[in-house]
Amino acid sequence: MEQWWWYFWFSIISLFGASLGNWIHRWRNPKCNGKLPPGSMGLPLIGETLSFFVTSNSIDIHPFVAQRMKRYGSLFKTSLAGRPVVVSLDPDFNHFVLQQEDKLVELYYMDSLAKLVHQDDMKNIGGDFHKYFRRVILSHFGHEPLKHQLLSQFEDVINHELQDWSKLPQVDLKHQTASMLFNTASKILMSCVPEENLGHDLSDILQGLMTFPKKEKALKLTSGALEERMNLYPTDKGDLLEKMVGDMGNEAGLTKQFVSHALFGLFIATIETIAPTITLAAKYLLDNPSALQHLT
């Protein structure tokens, strides 16, 4: 009897070990119709997520990317937050992929980003809508508007901000720039300057990829501006909000909810990209007096 139980448990443990080994093998060697680039999938489920989130004081390429680029080249596979990922640092390949939208590749948004904007609305985004959105953005922020209108506006705003900053004992450049960008983006997108400047809050919103009270404030602002414009439409504002309100009945996916979330996304994209860039530019110039002198 004891021998029977021994064989039974040996069989169970052997079966479990074989299943576990097979699962780990499949995790490390995911199926693919083509050829996967080199790389490591890391630990089962966890992948290489812990290494990815290790903080770095360097303003250069993140160590996670730099180490794998050195080991595998400019194209490598990994696993982050339970998802298989291919990372490309090859500009030619990236350009090719972007050109293949709705052909060989489909747009995909991380769950956290979908929740940040609006999960249901993300399902409505297709290639046609992206083309429309790019067209609308370029018509308000592209080369011609920049040359004939926006540059002079930016110069006035920057001169005014610099005068105000000169009166302060110290300046947190990233946050002050974010506040400046919030006001400027509000004027360009919605032709208004909100009473509460949310630039500082929005500049930090992606740190935890969601601070709900801050998000709700921003969404209340954009949805309120949308409702007001819909009640007044048509106007002579000529801003992006006016264009989107006019297109709401003609473009699939342009619901009230989506437009307000899209405006929120534009605020995030504007602040989160430009504020750090200006901050780093200032740091590099301060660290390189000869470059600053040359520019001056």
Side-chain angles (χ1 to χ4, degrees), residues 182 193-197 221:
F182 179 78
V193 178
E195 293 182 5
E196 182 179 4
N197 191 308
L221 166 67

Side-chain angles (χ1 to χ4, degrees), residues 2 12 21 36 78 110 175 221 277:
E2 291 181 1
I12 292 294
L36 286 173
T78 182
M110 296 183 298
H175 285 156
L221 166 67
T277 302

Side-chain angles (χ1 to χ4, degrees), residues 155-170:
E155 187 173 12
D156 291 340
V157 170
I158 291 168
N159 285 334
H160 181 267
E161 288 292 325
L162 288 176
Q163 289 178 11
D164 287 345
W165 293 357
S166 67
K167 302 171 186 175
L168 300 175
Q170 62 181 18

Side-chain angles (χ1 to χ4, degrees), residues 132-142 145 189 240 266:
Y132 161 79
F133 208 51
R134 283 197 295 266
R135 186 171 66 250
V136 171
I137 294 295
L138 287 174
S139 68
H140 287 80
F141 300 95
L189 294 174
L240 185 136
L266 286 173

